[in-house]
Amino acid sequence: MSAQDIMIQTNHMSHTYEDESGNVVYALDDVSLTIRKGEFVSIIGTNGSGKSTLAKHFNVLLTPTKGTVKVLGMDTKEADHLWDIRQHVGMVFQNPDNQIVAAVVEEDVAFGPENLGIEPEEIRRRVKEALKSVNMTEYALHSPGLLSGGQKQRIAIAGVLAMKPDCIVLDEPTAMLDPVGRKEVLETVHRLNKEEGITIVYITHFMEEAVTSDRVVVMKNGKLLHEGTPRDIFTQVPMLKELGLDVPVAAEVASKLRAHGMPLQADIITEEELGDQLCQ
């Protein structure tokens, strides 16, 4: 892989802090990870595994204690690169209410580009485009307070899109949403990845969401334990269970049926695949 293909690269990166007793705690421990341009990568792990801490390094909300994080070749420790990196990498957090700052949807989406000092005419164009990208055009003049959780999260994504990033990092964006909202957000993010080529880093504890990505990274106690395709990762049911992670329902059912002697393929991870196998 050439340097031109790399969006984010961490090299032997650790992040430490001191607890109340003055002991050094490793929130991230020697993490080396490469994310390619245009890739959709999910990061999974139980609470305290370091996945959110890792995400914050991609947008320079944190910088490494040891090792390096580079975004499009720019070292996050170099203060001169801070604004450049933040224009390339947008963040969407768990609670959409914490990200909405204006009383009208289109003003909220305009907030980021206004802070970048972009011309008013260009801001209007970007806001229109961003709302269209997340299927929220008809809500442009609504108050965000009247929207559902999934709609608010799509507005938060539109606000990031209006800043024209190459990469969006989403930190458990569906954790506070109902199933309808979760589906809306996941579909939106996949569309941005496929149609607009935006690199997606998606942190989630819903395994059914992680199954849809190009690659899955598994974290535990600040370490990167495994990485591979969803099929590589989610067919390892005992390993995921041992880590305290959920397993996609189809993979778990298939694993149990195989244990009872049913001759099913070893790599079933989606409900469609399970259905096809059972129908045979």
Side-chain angles (χ1 to χ4, degrees):
M1 188 188 334
S2 75
Q4 277 82 22
D5 298 329
I6 296 172
M7 183 75 222
I8 297 169
Q9 189 162 41
T10 75
N11 198 7
H12 297 293
M13 188 267 278
S14 297
H15 187 88
T16 61
Y17 62 91
E18 281 191 9
D19 65 13
E20 297 91 73
S21 319
N23 302 313
V24 172
V25 178
Y26 275 79
L28 292 169
D29 188 357
D30 197 31
V31 174
S32 293
L33 173 68
T34 301
I35 294 169
R36 294 188 295 278
K37 287 178 184 171
E39 200 175 13
F40 190 126
V41 177
S42 287
I43 302 178
I44 62 172
T46 52
N47 288 343
S49 61
K51 54 191 192 299
S52 290
T53 307
L54 182 61
K56 287 176 181 151
H57 281 78
F58 299 160
N59 184 252
V60 209
L61 292 172
L62 295 172
T63 53
T65 315
K66 292 180 194 161
T68 57
V69 178
K70 288 186 176 175
V71 176
L72 294 170
M74 295 178 278
D75 192 325
T76 62
K77 279 184 182 166
E78 292 179 21
D80 305 357
H81 294 323
L82 177 73
W83 288 109
D84 273 346
I85 290 172
R86 286 196 180 153
Q87 283 180 48
H88 288 290
V89 181
M91 287 281 296
V92 176
F93 296 97
Q94 191 177 92
N95 188 342
D97 286 325
N98 293 346
Q99 298 170 82
I100 288 175
V101 293
V104 178
V105 163
E106 64 178 12
E107 287 173 12
D108 191 79
V109 177
F111 181 77
E114 277 168 359
N115 278 343
L116 296 175
I118 286 158
E119 294 294 312
E121 193 51 44
E122 170 67 3
I123 290 175
R124 278 193 285 278
R125 197 182 64 74
R126 287 190 185 195
V127 168
K128 202 172 162 184
E129 219 173 73
L131 285 170
K132 189 174 169 215
S133 287
V134 299
N135 285 341
M136 290 295 285
T137 304
E138 64 190 281
Y139 297 95
L141 300 173
H142 281 55
S143 159
L146 302 173
L147 301 177
S148 70
Q151 289 170 328
K152 284 180 187 172
Q153 201 56 293
R154 278 149 64 198
I155 294 303
I157 294 169
V160 170
L161 280 178
M163 294 190 279
K164 294 271 180 216
D166 305 299
C167 174
I168 302 179
V169 179
L170 300 103
D171 188 1
E172 303 216 12
T174 63
M176 304 183 76
L177 306 182
D178 61 14
V180 174
R182 292 217 304 266
K183 185 167 180 272
E184 285 174 5
V185 169
L186 191 64
E187 282 175 356
T188 299
V189 172
H190 271 291
R191 196 170 58 250
L192 295 172
N193 174 248
K194 293 278 175 291
E195 293 174 13
E196 304 195 21
I198 293 174
T199 308
I200 301 291
V201 180
Y202 196 89
I203 292 166
T204 183
H205 62 264
F206 295 114
M207 300 304 129
E208 272 76 11
E209 293 181 346
V211 161
T212 65
S213 49
D214 299 327
R215 188 155 54 108
V216 178
V217 172
V218 185
M219 302 283 297
K220 185 190 181 184
N221 297 339
K223 288 183 183 289
L224 193 159
L225 272 198
H226 303 280
E227 59 175 308
T229 64
R231 208 171 292 287
D232 294 337
I233 299 300
F234 291 119
T235 47
Q236 299 184 56
V237 173
M239 177 272 288
L240 293 166
K241 289 278 191 196
E242 200 176 303
L243 288 175
L245 289 170
D246 285 335
V247 178
V249 173
E252 186 164 13
V253 170
S255 171
K256 285 180 174 167
L257 290 172
R258 279 193 298 272
H260 282 84
M262 193 176 272
L264 294 177
Q265 277 179 354
D267 62 352
I268 294 170
I269 57 170
T270 69
E271 286 161 19
E272 289 78 12
E273 290 166 354
L274 179 61
D276 290 349
Q277 287 271 301
L278 291 175
C279 288
Q280 288 169 23

